[in-house]
Amino acid sequence: MFELSLMCPEDRIEAVSDALDALDALSVSVEDADAQTDAEQALFGEPGMPPPKDGWQRSRVVALFPTQAAAEEAQQLLAVQDFFEGCQVLGIANVPEQDWVRLTQSQFAPVDITPDFWIVPTWHELPAQAVRSIRLDPGLAFGTGTHPTTRMCLRWIARNGAVAADGTSTLGRVLDYGCGSGILAIGAAKFGAVDIDAVDIDPAAVESTLQNAQANGVQLKAGLPDKAQGEYRTVLANILATPLRVLAPLLCSHVAAGGHLVLAGILERQAQELQEAYAPWLQLQVADKEDGWILMTASR
């Protein structure tokens, strides 16, 4: 396979990307040409919502083609188009054959949530300091422990989860709403919770959660959202700000007296709108922050 690399200003990215797609590129990616420099720009968006921008002020557009001839033909055709003005060709490069499985695995190292609580892919040895761990490989459902929102939720669980003197969990009955891979529900189980419901609108996420729970030797119930019934001492929802606003009355209705609501998938600039959305039921506060993301919690 061969990569055609282009440098494009922000206002040309959409037209160039559409043209590459029409020229049968196998894939087209847009990267910040200034990444890892002082000029790097952060662009945050949400699935299902219009992107904040089509790209960066200086974007590197990379298209993958099956042959060198196809890449060269695409380069020649683009060069004579009016919309290519201001763009430049960086080159065509052969993509070397690689062990893609090994390469993918190398991108997922053990993640420390606390000094003694780790997320560890199955192909890695457990770190010596891991008193508790979740074995989790990347799969069809979101949630591997590498994203700040997941780490913050797991940190909250680690700080607040314990087995009380009477043998019950301080987390009580737990609801993981939008469970993805089930990582938060499994984390709750690792910290003593025994009555756990994990729900998601995606059947693949439900199946992934059940498989991951079995692999980690924990018990939980997983299903579609109607599986969530009654009140819970701990309600976890790591989704995104827009669905969290819509779900405010539903999620709050599941929080038992004395219980906790834990929300993630929220950017720092979205804190006030979430507080306003939940104000009729609960008073949200920022409990943690990392890399522009925040964790918001409330108690009933």
Side-chain angles (χ1 to χ4, degrees):
M1 292 187 290
F2 291 81
E3 281 185 348
L4 169 61
S5 298
L6 311 168
M7 182 73 75
C8 299
E10 182 185 326
D11 61 353
R12 303 293 179 174
I13 294 167
E14 183 176 5
V16 170
S17 297
D18 288 347
L20 288 166
D21 185 55
L23 291 167
D24 296 326
L26 300 175
S27 67
V28 180
S29 62
V30 182
E31 307 164 357
D32 185 357
D34 296 312
Q36 310 302 318
T37 73
D38 292 340
E40 181 178 10
Q41 295 177 299
L43 294 181
F44 295 107
E46 293 190 12
M49 300 291 288
K53 292 183 177 181
D54 291 324
W56 294 266
Q57 291 180 0
R58 292 186 346 116
S59 290
R60 181 171 175 262
V61 179
V62 180
L64 189 65
F65 289 91
T67 65
Q68 183 172 355
E72 290 173 348
E73 182 181 13
Q75 172 188 334
Q76 294 163 4
L77 290 171
L78 285 173
V80 298
Q81 305 303 317
D82 291 341
F83 59 75
F84 200 68
E85 183 179 355
C87 303
Q88 68 178 104
V89 177
L90 299 178
I92 295 174
N94 182 23
V95 180
E97 289 293 329
Q98 299 191 60
D99 185 338
W100 295 107
V101 171
R102 187 177 296 276
L103 178 63
T104 299
Q105 290 181 345
S106 71
Q107 298 171 355
F108 292 91
V111 176
D112 59 321
I113 304 303
T114 69
D116 59 2
F117 177 34
W118 289 70
I119 312 300
V120 186
T122 56
W123 56 82
H124 279 280
E125 293 292 328
L126 283 174
Q129 61 270 45
V131 176
R132 288 184 178 88
S133 64
I134 298 176
R135 286 288 198 175
L136 198 68
D137 296 340
L140 292 176
F142 176 82
T144 60
T146 60
H147 196 273
T149 59
T150 309
R151 290 199 301 270
M152 287 189 291
C153 287
L154 290 170
R155 279 202 297 266
W156 186 94
I157 290 171
R159 291 168 183 159
N160 293 274
V163 178
D166 62 0
T168 61
S169 168
T170 55
L171 296 172
R173 190 177 183 224
V174 174
L175 172 63
D176 180 2
Y177 200 99
C179 57
S181 66
I183 188 170
L184 301 186
I186 295 168
K190 293 287 184 175
F191 282 87
V194 295
D195 189 358
I196 305 168
D197 287 336
V199 302
D200 202 290
I201 60 173
D202 184 357
V206 173
E207 181 61 28
S208 178
T209 294
L210 291 170
Q211 292 176 358
N212 289 330
Q214 182 178 21
N216 281 275
V218 301
Q219 298 293 318
L220 55 77
K221 299 182 289 293
L224 298 177
D226 59 4
K227 184 82 172 179
Q229 297 290 330
E231 295 183 337
Y232 300 80
R233 181 171 177 79
T234 303
V235 176
L236 306 160
N238 180 17
I239 316 177
L240 287 168
T242 298
L244 285 176
R245 285 199 304 271
V246 174
L247 290 167
L250 174 66
L251 293 177
C252 291
S253 71
H254 284 304
V255 182
H260 304 281
L261 177 65
V262 181
L263 305 180
I266 307 163
L267 297 170
E268 287 189 63
R269 59 179 169 80
Q270 296 172 321
Q272 184 175 349
E273 62 187 90
L274 265 293
Q275 287 173 325
E276 292 173 354
Y278 281 77
W281 303 278
L282 294 169
Q283 302 304 306
L284 284 176
Q285 301 293 330
V286 177
D288 200 353
K289 60 178 63 178
E290 183 178 338
D291 294 343
W293 298 90
I294 57 174
L295 183 80
M296 302 192 78
T297 63
S299 300
R300 186 179 292 285

